[in-house]
Amino acid sequence: MCGIVGYIGDKQAYDILIHGLHRLEYRGYDSAGVAIEHETGELNVYKSKGKVTELESSVEGKDTGGTLGIAHTRWATHGEPNDVNAHPHVSEDRTLALVHNGTIENYGVLKTALMQHGYHFSSETDTEVLVQLISYVKHTNRCSLFDAVREALRQVEGAYAIAVVEKGNPDMLVVARKSSPLVIGIGDGETFVASDATPIVGYTDKVVYLKDNEIAVIRRDAPLEVHSIDSIQHPVPDIQTLKLSVEQLEKGGYDTFMLKEIFSQPGTLRDCIRGRITNDCKRVVLSGVIENRDRFINANRIVIVACGTSWHAALIGKRVIQEMCRISVEVEYASEFRYGCPYITDRDVVIAISQSGETADTLAAIQLAKSKGAFVYGICNVVGASIPRDTDSGTYIHVGPEIGVASTKAFTGQVTVLTLLALCAGQIRKTIDTETVESIARALTELPQTIKEVLTLADTIKELSRIYTYARNFLYLGRGYNYPTALEGALKLKEISYVHAEGYPAAEMKHGPIALIDSEMPTVIIAPNDSLYDKIISNVQQVKSRGGSVIAIVSKGDRSMEQIADHCLEIPEVPECLTPIVAAVPLQLLAYYIAINKGKDVDRPRNLAKSVTVE
Ligand code: G6P
């Protein structure tokens, strides 16, 4: 949540900062702002409620000159989204400006103490407390900006990635991080700072991922200096090469990022599988599993932690791992894990799934699992993010940057990696035969083609979406492997069209939701030709006999469902464990077109953020 950007160099900062904010808007878009050090020595701060384009309009005609600046796009936590609560926040004497991603947990205590020292506050944010605290330390200790930031951070509890500039100090930018991500891009005579690498791509490919409890001083004409916040250590910056291209971050001819991402799935799944299945399809090779084979052989059980869409992927992972590895698998919301008195031992394998690799609750769950001695395995998309760095081993899903806030290609990538993991660990544990591996592995290699075929349904789904655009409630039903698919389909619709939708195990419907069914409430049923097909047919009949309309996702050639459901969307037949990947695509398209028909901003749905870095 919240994105921060900073720049120091020989170019005008404003354009670079605004460009960076657009790239980071997926992290929040409640308000945006910039602070730029002007050649005259002024520190100009402009901020505005709403999206980055609203900031740009409000700044038109104003002086945005200067080659040092910081900027922010906000997802509100403390204080409603308005101009005053927008970042950057400035100290009372207006000499310091600061942008922040995270939460200052002890801000109440600090604020009271600062008020006792005569400080006044204009916003309701925790961030204003931090900038005032830095100002207080600086005046009291008569120290440099760097020393003041470091000392203030020692008094702060919580999570932060921050960037600070000082009026009249045009050659210095100070940044620091604890629990929230921060990347520094090192260019030729210029340095960039951002919450992730996307604002930096195209300017430089040399990056340093700041680590927890590190603070960096970025001077105009000097090498990057990294220090520890808590100790006198002086870590040597680890400069890495970025493997992201500008094309990956643009819409590439599509109207929205979400549509581009839905349509990119044949390619992203190819990238996800590449090098992980042998040519004869007899073996699955996930290095993270093979290198830690004893952990998987000796595991008592597997616990998967995740949030949101990643949690839905985890539920499918549970089913496939249990089937292939004959081991008990539990799935926990990462946000509940810590508070559920978890019983974790050093014989457990804990798998953390996260697209962003920065979700605060998932990170906290990982720390807890590690403290109990569990082996922690990460499944992540963003290369170099906190989760892959904090876990013992893991696998990247390699689906490329996902920018639309509603997750699509990451979900299918996560389920694919979980299937690969189940097959690989099953082989190591000798709980799966070669024929099974071969048939599923072959179907995995064919997935890009299979998904291409599914995408040809787009026009049909677009037409269908018109019939249901104004339905106010939807029910999504599935069984077995596809109960989580139903949850994911319902979540997609909720997220981007703001229509209420509930995902349910199909057979459970009769224990409650059936009371809701009438001609106004459409039901989406995921009913591929699998082991539970006959059972789900009777669930469909129960809906139909109560006047509900049914959209069914069925296997190609299904003629029985055609007789009962109002609409059938046919998907190619695949092994049962892969049906969630194939069935997810029409559900993504259905949610997409309904949201578009309603005129919604699908890439930036209200109140949501892609990366949830607060608890
Ligand atoms: C947010 C996003 C979801 C995502 C969830 C977990 O709610 O909007 O799309 O599934 O966070 O994020 P993660 O990055 O950990 O997968």
Side-chain angles (χ1 to χ4, degrees):
M1 336 234 85
C2 299
I4 67 173
V5 196
Y7 176 77
I8 182 165
D10 50 11
K11 301 194 181 78
Q12 288 297 302
Y14 178 74
D15 291 343
I16 293 169
L17 296 173
I18 291 290
H19 163 84
L21 288 185
H22 279 297
R23 286 268 158 85
L24 291 181
E25 237 182 342
Y26 73 87
R27 301 176 70 88
Y29 28 80
D30 287 334
S31 64
V34 291
I36 299 173
E37 187 91 25
H38 198 268
E39 282 83 2
T40 56
E42 281 307 304
L43 184 56
N44 290 323
V45 178
Y46 304 113
K47 37 196 205 173
S48 159
K49 181 181 173 199
K51 295 177 178 151
V52 178
T53 45
E54 285 161 63
L55 170 70
E56 287 175 272
S57 314
S58 73
V59 166
E60 253 169 52
K62 297 190 176 142
D63 190 348
T64 55
T67 56
L68 164 64
I70 54 176
H72 188 270
T73 180
R74 177 169 188 243
W75 187 83
T77 53
H78 295 74
E80 64 171 279
N82 58 26
D83 291 359
V84 176
N85 289 333
H87 299 218
H89 284 282
V90 291
S91 55
E92 200 170 342
D93 61 5
R94 304 197 65 81
T95 59
L96 300 178
L98 177 147
V99 287
H100 169 216
N101 163 216
T103 33
I104 308 297
E105 282 162 12
N106 60 340
Y107 82 104
V109 180
L110 295 170
K111 189 170 182 174
T112 309
L114 287 164
M115 284 166 83
Q116 279 160 5
H117 287 294
Y119 279 77
H120 300 93
F121 291 83
S122 50
S123 81
E124 300 152 77
T125 65
D126 52 339
T127 304
E128 191 185 7
V129 175
L130 180 55
V131 71
Q132 298 274 48
L133 179 64
I134 296 169
S135 162
Y136 169 73
V137 173
K138 193 161 187 302
H139 287 118
T140 314
N141 296 0
R142 294 174 188 278
C143 59
S144 69
L145 176 63
F146 165 69
D147 284 329
V149 174
R150 178 154 72 171
E151 177 49 35
L153 290 177
R154 286 176 176 170
Q155 298 179 34
V156 158
E157 285 162 22
Y160 51 78
I162 57 163
V164 196
V165 290
E166 184 181 25
K167 183 178 173 181
N169 190 355
D171 297 328
M172 186 189 281
L173 171 60
V174 176
V175 298
R177 79 156 270 186
K178 184 180 177 194
S179 300
S180 299
L182 198 87
V183 188
I184 301 172
I186 301 174
D188 191 8
E190 57 187 354
T191 306
F192 306 80
V193 170
S195 295
D196 71 25
T198 58
I200 296 169
V201 177
Y203 294 111
T204 176
D205 63 355
K206 291 192 184 56
V207 293
V208 172
Y209 292 92
L210 208 62
K211 299 197 181 77
D212 264 354
N213 292 310
E214 285 185 350
I215 178 168
V217 189
I218 304 165
R219 292 195 172 82
R220 196 175 286 279
D221 295 314
L224 175 70
E225 250 180 57
V226 178
H227 301 261
S228 160
I229 294 172
D230 301 322
S231 70
I232 53 160
Q233 278 174 3
H234 199 342
V236 179
D238 175 16
I239 300 177
Q240 303 187 18
T241 306
L242 204 58
K243 292 192 185 75
L244 259 185
S245 67
V246 173
E247 297 73 62
Q248 285 177 291
L249 304 175
E250 288 173 351
K251 286 187 196 150
Y254 287 91
D255 289 344
T256 62
F257 281 110
M258 184 174 174
L259 196 62
K260 176 190 169 197
E261 286 157 8
I262 293 172
F263 273 87
S264 71
Q265 289 174 107
T268 57
L269 291 175
R270 187 175 299 112
D271 293 342
C272 178
I273 293 159
R274 183 171 292 128
R276 292 169 170 171
I277 295 173
T278 54
N279 287 341
D280 59 5
C281 291
K282 288 194 185 342
R283 281 186 57 231
V284 170
V285 188
L286 273 197
S287 53
V289 175
I290 291 171
E291 282 158 16
N292 298 286
R293 54 188 302 127
D294 290 347
R295 288 294 200 157
F296 284 90
I297 291 170
N298 299 325
N300 264 344
R301 66 181 179 146
I302 292 178
V303 179
I304 314 183
V305 291
C307 299
T309 286
S310 302
W311 184 79
H312 295 156
L315 292 176
I316 299 163
K318 168 187 166 106
R319 180 70 173 73
V320 68
I321 296 169
Q322 287 193 160
E323 182 175 338
M324 308 300 167
C325 302
R326 307 311 301 139
I327 184 169
S328 166
V329 182
E330 286 166 28
V331 176
E332 297 262 9
Y333 280 117
S335 52
E336 289 292 314
F337 181 66
R338 264 179 300 170
Y339 306 111
C341 202
Y343 179 71
I344 298 286
T345 72
D346 58 6
R347 293 278 302 277
D348 291 329
V349 171
V350 173
I351 300 177
I353 309 176
S354 173
Q355 186 286 128
S356 62
E358 300 294 349
T359 301
D361 286 315
T362 311
L363 275 163
I366 290 170
Q367 297 313 336
L368 180 74
K370 280 170 85 175
S371 73
K372 307 270 182 200
F375 171 70
V376 185
Y377 196 92
I379 295 180
C380 188
N381 187 33
V382 178
V383 176
S386 302
I387 290 179
R389 283 187 284 124
D390 278 9
T391 40
D392 297 307
S393 185
T395 303
Y396 281 115
I397 61 173
H398 285 317
V399 298
E402 190 179 66
I403 294 164
V405 164
S407 185
T408 52
K409 62 177 182 171
F411 174 73
T412 49
Q414 288 165 339
V415 179
T416 301
V417 162
L418 284 159
T419 310
L420 292 168
L421 184 146
L423 295 175
C424 184
Q427 286 186 304
I428 287 172
R429 290 169 60 84
K430 303 196 191 329
T431 47
I432 183 172
D433 56 57
T434 313
E435 291 71 50
T436 310
V437 174
E438 201 179 334
S439 71
I440 298 170
R442 198 163 299 285
L444 278 166
T445 61
E446 289 161 4
L447 260 186
Q449 194 49 43
T450 312
I451 300 295
K452 251 191 206 159
E453 209 181 305
V454 180
L455 287 167
T456 61
L457 287 171
D459 287 340
T460 311
I461 296 173
K462 195 176 188 176
E463 281 300 307
L464 182 63
S465 72
R466 298 210 173 100
I467 305 174
Y468 295 102
T469 297
Y470 297 103
R472 294 177 58 197
N473 298 287
F474 273 78
L475 189 61
Y476 282 69
L477 302 178
R479 297 192 73 159
Y481 271 111
N482 286 302
Y483 155 51
T485 320
L487 294 177
E488 177 58 11
L491 179 64
K492 287 295 86 97
L493 189 70
K494 279 186 272 202
E495 284 179 313
I496 59 172
S497 69
Y498 319 145
V499 172
H500 170 251
E502 225 176 309
Y504 235 77
E508 280 297 301
M509 172 195 61
K510 52 188 175 297
H511 300 292
I514 199 163
L516 301 171
I517 289 177
D518 59 18
S519 58
E520 308 273 284
M521 173 130 166
T523 299
V524 180
I525 298 218
I526 301 118
N529 188 13
D530 63 15
S531 57
L532 292 167
Y533 177 76
D534 292 339
K535 312 244 177 235
I536 216 162
I537 281 273
S538 57
N539 300 137
V540 176
Q541 263 147 350
Q542 289 151 11
V543 174
K544 281 307 301 172
S545 55
R546 278 150 189 93
S549 46
V550 172
I551 303 167
I553 314 278
V554 294
S555 297
K556 222 180 195 165
D558 181 330
R559 295 293 156 255
S560 315
M561 190 68 89
E562 222 176 40
Q563 315 295 318
I564 322 170
D566 298 82
H567 315 275
C568 285
L569 296 168
E570 295 190 15
I571 55 172
E573 211 156 327
V574 287
E576 191 163 348
C577 63
L578 302 185
T579 54
I581 300 173
V582 182
V585 177
L587 299 180
Q588 295 165 352
L589 287 167
L590 182 64
Y592 179 82
Y593 288 121
I594 289 179
I596 292 291
N597 297 344
K598 291 169 95 74
K600 304 298 179 206
D601 182 347
V602 295
D603 283 339
R604 292 170 298 186
R606 73 179 180 207
N607 303 340
L608 297 180
K610 187 143 192 76
S611 179
V612 182
T613 55
V614 294
E615 199 185 327

